[in-house]
Amino acid sequence: MKKISEELGKIELGVSGNNTYTGVIRADEFLPQIRGKRAINKFREMRDNDSTIGAVMYATEQVLRDVKFTVKPANDTPAAKGMADFVESVLGDMEHTLDDHISEALSFLTFGFSLFEVVYKRRKGPLTSNPKKNSKYNDGYIGVRKLASRAQWTVDRFDVDQKTGDTLGVLQEMNIGTKSNYIPIQKLLHYRTTNLNNDPSGRSILRNAFSSYTYLNSMQSIEAIAIERELHGIPIGRIAAEYLSPDATADQASLRNQMEKILRDLKFNEQGYALLPSDVYTDNDGKPTNVRIMDIELITSNGTRNIDIDPVIRRYQHDIARSVMAEFLMLGSGTNGSYALSKSKTDLFLRSMESYINSIFDVINKQLVEPLWQLNGFNYDLMPKIVAGDVAPHDLREIASFLRNLNGAGIDVSSHPEVIQDLMDIAELNYDPNVGNQTQQGAE
């Protein structure tokens, strides 16, 4: 086997995907109705119109926006802890809260990606009115003024290096009277659900629910029409044959058109009525018959093979919830369900939530903290890391049982203050290890 040269090893020869080099949103998608900007419109429709998807997205946002985070120093030195305090000060010195930013960033779950332009500022204290310098701090460092959201439907396409497939920037739609906006990738926070094919537009978590959503909409429309027809009936009108003839006079055609309008608009509401002449036809002897000159009748369904659409609609709703691992939302809507089943499905959903919030903080660490270090000329050995807290709640009874098992095995955790601190944090109790040490020393 021939040894690879250093020069050849540094060259990128392959490509990530077949069409991603074009920068078109979801360029590799095989369904045309969810390719390009049509995908953004369709996923936005799914999120805003479907009750199941809306519930999942609302639950996700409310769970993740309040997840606690910590800024972990690079080491235990005072300098490293000072740099961690600097990052905390940057996150607390923006024009918006980090919770609000996370709430907006979670739109990448719906669309596959979300973009935020990083607007920096020089920290010159609170006395200046210049927003480019106004800050709680007056240390002269470069901080962050805001993380400005760039809505997905304003993105025209991504600027992609056609040779390597790397994302270079984003082109926004051209507004009336202005040129198109170009934002380089160095000034962006770029969240995406997956790096598959290195597609800058990622992959919406609603992609697998698209077929179910389409059929669900169709079934709901059919159900609404069926209920309306069952309640109202199908209006049938009767009129003399001469009025329907192509040789009908203008007055006859006008009457026929008015009759058609009545049949089309006839409904059971405050304006629904039909006003018809009560005259009847006469026989050959001139005597009146029982047949009216004009008549309207409502035909209702008399069959016994009506299909119950509700189970079909529920099945598609379950499919949508299952595709985003939120099937637990549907428990209780039927006759089946148990606590164990609910807990396992909820735990799986919360695990997926943890991966989402971790991916958000990974982007913040890579695309926000690292550029701040470069702009300020800080030592990279002292660069801290932002870590997300737990999403899933902890069962204190299970933890207590685990601690009893450790105690029974002769393992004493009281000599590990970091373990005690974690346990107290889980129980949401204030704990000062110094107080415990002083009490113990006084007893001795």
Side-chain angles (χ1 to χ4, degrees), residues 151-163:
Q152 288 84 353
W153 47 89
T154 66
V155 176
D156 185 34
R157 65 179 179 87
F158 289 90
D159 181 20
V160 178
D161 189 312
Q162 296 190 2
K163 186 175 182 180

Side-chain angles (χ1 to χ4, degrees), residues 144-179:
V144 177
R145 176 184 167 191
K146 62 180 177 179
L147 304 174
S149 175
R150 299 295 176 250
Q152 288 84 353
W153 47 89
T154 66
V155 176
D156 185 34
R157 65 179 179 87
F158 289 90
D159 181 20
V160 178
D161 189 312
Q162 296 190 2
K163 186 175 182 180
T164 64
D166 295 335
T167 304
L168 304 177
V170 170
L171 288 93
Q172 286 189 292
E173 276 186 334
M174 183 176 64
N175 298 321
I176 298 176
T178 62
K179 296 182 179 179

Side-chain angles (χ1 to χ4, degrees), residues 191-258:
Y191 301 101
R192 51 181 171 172
T193 55
T194 177
N195 294 332
L196 182 64
N197 293 339
N198 200 27
D199 188 349
S201 56
R203 186 180 189 271
S204 170
I205 66 170
L206 305 180
R207 173 60 182 86
N208 291 338
F210 172 71
S211 296
S212 298
Y213 171 80
T214 303
Y215 287 119
L216 175 63
N217 269 0
S218 178
M219 289 297 103
Q220 288 176 329
S221 298
I222 292 173
E223 182 185 45
I225 294 173
I227 292 174
E228 181 182 9
R229 290 304 187 192
E230 189 68 27
L231 293 176
H232 296 173
I234 302 176
I236 300 294
R238 295 184 178 88
I239 196 171
E242 57 184 315
Y243 289 83
L244 303 176
S245 171
D247 300 329
T249 64
D251 291 340
Q252 291 173 335
S254 176
L255 182 60
R256 181 189 66 195
N257 292 336
Q258 188 172 359

